[in-house]
Amino acid sequence: MIDKARTNTQLDRVTDKGSAFSDKNISWFASRDSPKRLVFILIAGIFLSEVFAMVVLTWLPEMPYALVTLTDALIMAGLIYPLLYYLVFRPLLEHIAERKRSEQALIQTNELLERYFSSIDTLIAYMDREFNFIRVNDTYARSGGHSAEYFSGRNHFALYPHEENQAIFQRVVDTGEPFSVLEKPFEYPEYPERGVTYWDWSLQPVKGIDGAIEGVVLSLVDVTERKRAELQLERQNQELRTLSEAEHRQRELAEGLVQAVITLTSSLQLEDVLNSVLDQIRRAIPFRGADIILIEGKTFRVAGFCGFEDLPGGVAAMQRNYTLDDFPLFQQICATLQPVLVPDTREQADWRFVPGMEWVRSYMAAPLISNGQVSGVINLTSDQPGFFNPETVQRLMAFAAPASLALNNAQLYKAELTARQAAETLSAAARALTQTLDLDQVIGTLLEHIEVIIHPDTTGVALLEDETRLATRAARGYERLSDPDQILSLVVDINSSPFLQRLVSERKSLLVPEIAASLDWRVFPRLEPIRSWLVVPLIASDKVIGVVGLGKTETGYFTPEHVRWAEALVGQAAMAIQNAWLFEQVRASSERLQGLSHRLVEVQENERRYIARELHDEAGQALTTLMVGLQLIEKKAEQPVDVRAEVVEMGHVLETVIENLHRLAMDLRPVSLDYLGLEAALRQHVETMSEKLGLEIQFAMTEISGRLPPNIEIAFYRIAQEALNNVARHASATRVDVLITRRADCLVLIIEDDGVGFAPSEAAKGMRMGLNGMRERAEMLDGKLVVESIPGKGSTVLVEVPYGIPNTHR
């Protein structure tokens, strides 16, 4: 809409310029500068100049006639030229400049009128001195129900007779003074449904070049909606003024409310709005402490407070999270949408004392209502009984209305910003998570985006190594609280934590607002500073593969909104983590397979070398001895006694060869394993090792009847064989126990010694092929191998493989 005040000012300036120009020229040329007067002044000027020149020449020394004539001419020119300039040339130049300015002003006026007439929201009509329409804009024509051409040439008051308005129009034409009136009410009897409408309207005189009034411009702006809003606001203010008529403090309250509305609407930051609410209330209502709670489902939290800073336990009480079920008064406010007044808390049956707030004696609260529901409560407290009364409750309610609107706007603004930031974070996370298969990088990306949107103090990811063991894979933010290396080495047994058992079974996020109040939460070592937790399961392929834990050193920090955003981020990352984890396992398996392939070749070569050495060193030498003996027998064929002795000696050599070949065959594949089973074969091997090494080796096989499947028998035999060989080579042990038993649906093999022990992590780094071979044999049976050892305290090898129905194979 065109600014009416600015338009009126410009029209006045243009018309005033035209009037000034006309008056100035008429007065100059018609009165002072008529031709006769100019001639008279010019003759008088020449005469006086000549007189002045003659006087000057009389004072000068005598000069030649030519010089005297030249001097006389110069003096007269010096005096007459300025006179001609000021009397003739200067007015003419001013007249020309003024005319140009007037022409430019008229052009600007025409442009302004064109823009003015094109206004959509303003009704504009241009009329002559007799108030006949010259031109109207489309808005004016539509308001009258006709086309713009319809009004051309018609008289305004013939169409709209109104004596008072006609008198105003005539006064503007007669005086040349503009007229305007704001919010003038009009009634339309022919349109009763319109009711009273309000218009801002003005009349501007249009002056010609000569300053005469040529017509008027009428502009009208419909301000009915604004006026009605102002009237509604005025009615509200009147209600406030009615409340303040009793005393001067009530009038100050009304002013404070106006200032509060201005202040509260000046910011959309939730923290600023909360502080402004408390500050405005403090100026109008005395209290000892004040706080604003925000209700979120069945819980609420203190979002802002003042006055508790110097009270023992006050700040701590404000920082806790609470449930509505513990506070009947809050339940009453939510149900009735009405304020609550407690003159004396010790006489109120429904009052609940909060630790640190035992000093409260008087209390009142006003609901913050949004969309017909209580979204928060303003609480005022005092240490004096009877400090608040119904009048102060009404004052607080007056502040609650604008505070509700401001808080609602601030919450919507914050929610919009958070949603926008979360959406951008989710989009960025989705892109980043799909760009790599490196597990550590995927987990790091997830934690970085969680920190951006939720701002926890600590974050961590733990992955399931098996069905019951959670191993920490990444941890951030623990530098200020504990040793990060100790956190990364933390392994948790799910069966030891009901909290984690529930999380894995229900596959839902778990929120612990306050650890001290949670009965089933286990405080893990080195995590004691964390006071609230949010744990989100990593679910991929409908299975929990790990958890993401977010910690905060303050209680009640995490909200349901935090849970939603964390679940969205973790949900996006779960599949990427599983893919990266599988890729890592595949890569590790490939590396292990390559190592096993090299080891297999190495073992084959070693076995071939061993067999070749055995055959060469023992069987080969024995056969050579037999060949030599046969040659000697051939030479001593005629000496029976010597031949008999040689044959006996050759028989002993042949027995030795046969025994060594049998031993070699038993090492390669014990025949007793095929015919007698695992127990007999392993017992025979244990006895042989015990006799050979001088070790005390105890073997037992319990809870198993009948033969085991061949693949399990050979795997258990080889694992036990390799473990005993390791004990013989490295352990320096004096006793070894070997046990095979059954537990539930598993077969268990245990080899335990009292030797020097070793560090399993160092053994893994050193790529001990014996341990890897045993682990591979266990994994081929879908089992697992666990090595437990402490340097100086012996070692234990535990093998556990699944086993269902007993095998009755003989």
Side-chain angles (χ1 to χ4, degrees), residues 502-510 535-537 539 544 567:
R502 188 166 74 253
L503 182 142
V504 173
S505 62
E506 297 178 358
R507 294 184 295 180
K508 294 181 179 179
S509 300
L510 295 178
V535 185
V536 183
I539 302 175
V544 176
E567 288 178 344

Side-chain angles (χ1 to χ4, degrees), residues 67 69 120 129 214 271 368 408 414 448 452 544 762:
L67 185 58
T69 302
I120 296 176
R129 289 178 55 89
E214 295 182 351
E271 184 177 353
L368 297 172
N408 185 48
K414 181 180 179 181
E448 287 175 3
V452 168
V544 176
E762 295 299 324

Side-chain angles (χ1 to χ4, degrees), residues 185-420:
F186 284 91
E187 294 186 9
Y188 299 89
E190 63 276 18
Y191 304 110
E193 67 277 3
R194 289 191 182 181
V196 179
T197 58
Y198 296 86
W199 297 84
D200 286 351
W201 65 285
S202 66
L203 282 174
Q204 292 290 336
V206 178
K207 300 178 182 180
I209 298 298
D210 58 354
I213 304 300
E214 295 182 351
V216 293
V217 175
L218 170 65
S219 63
L220 301 112
V221 181
D222 188 353
V223 294
T224 304
E225 293 299 326
R226 186 186 72 191
K227 182 61 177 180
R228 289 174 180 171
E230 291 175 353
L231 290 175
Q232 183 179 1
L233 180 61
E234 180 61 28
R235 285 194 295 272
Q236 293 176 348
N237 290 337
Q238 183 60 37
E239 292 176 1
L240 295 176
R241 285 194 295 270
T242 301
L243 293 175
S244 64
E245 288 177 355
E247 56 187 17
H248 178 67
R249 292 178 59 186
Q250 294 299 92
R251 289 193 299 271
E252 293 179 346
L253 175 62
E255 296 174 357
L257 285 174
V258 175
Q259 183 61 37
V261 172
I262 297 173
T263 303
L264 291 175
T265 56
S266 63
S267 175
L268 286 175
Q269 297 297 328
L270 182 59
E271 184 177 353
D272 295 340
V273 171
L274 292 171
N275 292 334
S276 297
V277 171
L278 295 174
D279 184 59
Q280 294 299 327
I281 293 175
R282 180 187 288 276
R283 295 181 182 181
I285 305 174
F287 56 79
R288 184 66 180 85
D291 64 88
I292 300 176
I293 67 169
L294 298 180
I295 298 175
E296 299 170 349
K298 294 292 185 180
T299 64
F300 65 87
R301 63 183 179 89
V302 179
F305 63 89
C306 65
F308 297 97
E309 294 79 7
D310 56 344
L311 296 173
V315 175
M318 296 296 104
Q319 293 176 343
R320 299 191 187 99
N321 269 28
Y322 302 94
T323 60
L324 287 175
D325 294 338
D326 297 333
F327 294 88
L329 290 179
F330 286 159
Q331 295 180 27
Q332 175 185 337
I333 292 173
C334 292
T336 63
L337 308 184
Q338 296 297 320
V340 166
L341 173 63
V342 180
D344 192 342
T345 57
R346 297 182 182 179
E347 298 178 0
Q348 180 71 25
D350 294 338
W351 180 257
R352 296 292 183 268
F353 281 100
V354 176
M357 301 285 288
E358 294 81 4
W359 52 269
V360 176
R361 291 296 304 275
S362 183
Y363 166 82
M364 70 172 178
L368 297 172
I369 302 174
S370 176
N371 297 325
Q373 293 184 343
V374 176
S375 60
V377 179
I378 302 176
N379 302 297
L380 302 187
T381 56
S382 173
D383 53 0
Q384 302 176 22
F387 186 79
F388 303 113
N389 53 52
E391 182 180 350
T392 54
V393 172
Q394 292 300 322
R395 294 185 200 167
L396 184 59
M397 284 297 294
F399 278 100
S404 298
L405 179 60
L407 283 175
N408 185 48
N409 292 338
Q411 288 175 319
L412 291 175
Y413 178 71
K414 181 180 179 181
E416 182 182 356
L417 288 182
T418 303
R420 185 183 307 166

Side-chain angles (χ1 to χ4, degrees), residues 662-680:
H662 176 71
R663 178 178 56 78
L664 183 61
M666 286 294 294
D667 288 341
L668 294 176
R669 174 77 179 189
V671 178
S672 58
L673 184 64
D674 294 327
Y675 292 98
L676 301 178
L678 176 64
E679 182 176 7

